[in-house]
Amino acid sequence: MQSKAIFRIFARYNSSFMKKQLLITGATSGIGRATALRMAREGYAVTATGRRADRLETLAQEIAAAGGECTTLVFDVRDAEQVRRFLEPIERIDILVNNAGLAAGLEHIDRGDPHDWDAMIDTNVKGLLYVTRIVAAKMVAAGGGHIFNIGSIAGTEPYENGAVYCASKHAVHALSQAMRADLLADGIKVTEIRPGMVETEFSQVRFHGDRERAAKVYQGVEPLRGEDIAEAIAWAAQLPAHMNVNDMVLMPAQQAGAYYTHRNR
Ligand code: NDP
Ligand code: 8X3
């Protein structure tokens, strides 16, 4: 009787450990939340991170109710010490999705708010670096892994009023290419996903909570949804070992780039 119980505990522990481990930042909303749900459905043991604990708790319950596995970690990617404290103890990470990010403000450079600039650079660039530093070292030691960086079309198309956000995503684009080279001999794939317009909390955050202004961004357009980006990540993650997607640009059919959107009247 006792040995059966021990066997069951061992089997559960073993099957959990055998699952591929995925860590995603910014899983409380939008692309991150959709990707966590999707990848849990694909059979990954998901570690979902973000600052809003209640949102992560709801996500973990949703994943568990669907038979998946989700651990949550509440920390701010801008704080290098928190990142180290929460991520260092994790034994294995097969896939990292660097998703946490934001745009703050939409202004000409002479009117931009330096607090917004700090938030974007500290999150989109430095936060991504802090997380990657710790996780990539684990992947190198393990002899493989796959890193997804969520860039943007803003990473190659600078636009009026978006100087600092565009600069931060240009940095993500450069980092993705350079880290791919750095990690090449270690068997670590690096995939950059660069979406156009995706309807999430992104525009609400950009306009500091102004929902009406945020809604106008998507007027007359069928934007992408977080689930569409999750679909792309799920596809790229399951490719054979010899094949990698370096850079994937995804847009709504009604968008041709940062400057061209066809809106229904
Ligand atoms: P959301 O605002 O819906 O989600 C952003 C996520 O990032 C949230 O989970 C938020 O969690 C997290 N986050 C923000 N700051 C921090 C921080 N300091 N520490 C930890 N987590 C943080 O937007 P999206 O889902 O759209 O954005 C996800 C990524 O996609 C971003 O990198 C964005 O730049 C990129 N992107 C978005 C596009 C779009 O049109 N929506 C297009 C192209 C790229 P919490 O607040 O709980 O910490
Ligand atoms: C988000 C897309 O066009 O608002 O990265 O910069 S855009």
Side-chain angles (χ1 to χ4, degrees), residues 129-146:
L129 284 169
Y130 296 152
V131 171
T132 302
R133 175 67 183 83
I134 291 171
V135 176
K138 290 180 188 296
M139 289 177 171
V140 168
H146 196 161

Side-chain angles (χ1 to χ4, degrees), residues 10-11 19 30 43 48-49 52 58 122 153 180 182 210 214 259:
F10 176 77
K19 275 188 169 187
T49 80
R52 287 171 286 182
T58 308
D122 290 350
I153 57 169
R180 187 176 302 119
D182 288 346
D210 184 340
Y259 320 106

Side-chain angles (χ1 to χ4, degrees), residues 25-33 49-53 55-56 75-79 98-103 119 122-124 150-154 165 168-169 193-205 217-218 224 226 229 250:
T25 62
T28 59
S29 162
I31 294 170
R33 177 178 157 77
T49 80
R51 291 168 301 177
R52 287 171 286 182
R55 297 274 195 106
L56 289 176
F75 65 86
D76 187 326
V77 296
R78 293 173 297 181
D79 183 332
N98 276 317
N99 166 74
L102 79 162
D122 290 350
T123 310
N124 302 356
I150 308 301
S152 168
I153 57 169
Y165 180 69
S168 76
K169 290 298 183 179
I193 305 281
R194 300 198 299 111
M197 197 186 285
V198 190
E199 189 165 10
T200 61
E201 292 178 7
F202 179 84
S203 293
Q204 288 176 38
V205 172
V217 173
Y218 310 106
L224 294 177
I229 309 305
L250 294 160

Side-chain angles (χ1 to χ4, degrees), residues 102-113:
L102 79 162
L106 195 66
E107 290 283 3
H108 278 185
I109 196 78
D110 55 305
R111 294 196 291 267
D113 180 343

Side-chain angles (χ1 to χ4, degrees), residues 19-213:
K19 275 188 169 187
K20 282 206 166 184
Q21 310 284 320
L22 177 143
L23 182 112
I24 180 161
T25 62
T28 59
S29 162
I31 294 170
R33 177 178 157 77
T35 303
L37 285 163
R38 173 62 187 265
M39 295 307 270
R41 274 211 312 281
E42 296 291 330
Y44 289 85
V46 171
T47 301
T49 80
R51 291 168 301 177
R52 287 171 286 182
D54 54 334
R55 297 274 195 106
L56 289 176
E57 191 47 43
T58 308
L59 171 69
Q61 282 167 7
E62 213 173 307
I63 288 175
E69 209 178 308
C70 180
T71 307
T72 62
L73 296 175
V74 181
F75 65 86
D76 187 326
V77 296
R78 293 173 297 181
D79 183 332
E81 176 50 30
Q82 276 189 35
V83 171
R84 193 197 57 74
R85 185 154 40 86
F86 281 99
L87 299 191
E88 199 59 81
I90 300 179
E91 203 166 329
R92 203 182 91 218
I93 298 166
D94 301 294
I95 294 187
L96 164 65
V97 185
N98 276 317
N99 166 74
L102 79 162
L106 195 66
E107 290 283 3
H108 278 185
I109 196 78
D110 55 305
R111 294 196 291 267
D113 180 343
H115 290 110
D116 285 345
W117 297 351
D118 286 345
M120 289 185 275
I121 292 169
D122 290 350
T123 310
N124 302 356
V125 184
K126 291 166 70 183
L128 179 146
L129 284 169
Y130 296 152
V131 171
T132 302
R133 175 67 183 83
I134 291 171
V135 176
K138 290 180 188 296
M139 289 177 171
V140 168
H146 196 161
I147 298 174
F148 287 85
N149 292 331
I150 308 301
S152 168
I153 57 169
T156 49
E157 292 184 82
Y159 52 81
E160 186 178 3
N161 290 314
V164 178
Y165 180 69
C166 293
S168 76
K169 290 298 183 179
H170 271 65
V172 173
H173 190 47
L175 286 168
S176 301
Q177 294 168 78
M179 69 170 79
R180 187 176 302 119
D182 288 346
L183 300 171
L184 192 58
D186 296 296
I188 298 167
K189 296 181 184 181
V190 178
T191 298
E192 186 183 5
I193 305 281
R194 300 198 299 111
M197 197 186 285
V198 190
E199 189 165 10
T200 61
E201 292 178 7
F202 179 84
S203 293
Q204 288 176 38
V205 172
R206 168 169 257 173
F207 300 132
H208 304 295
D210 184 340
R211 285 169 183 259
E212 216 172 299
R213 192 172 172 201

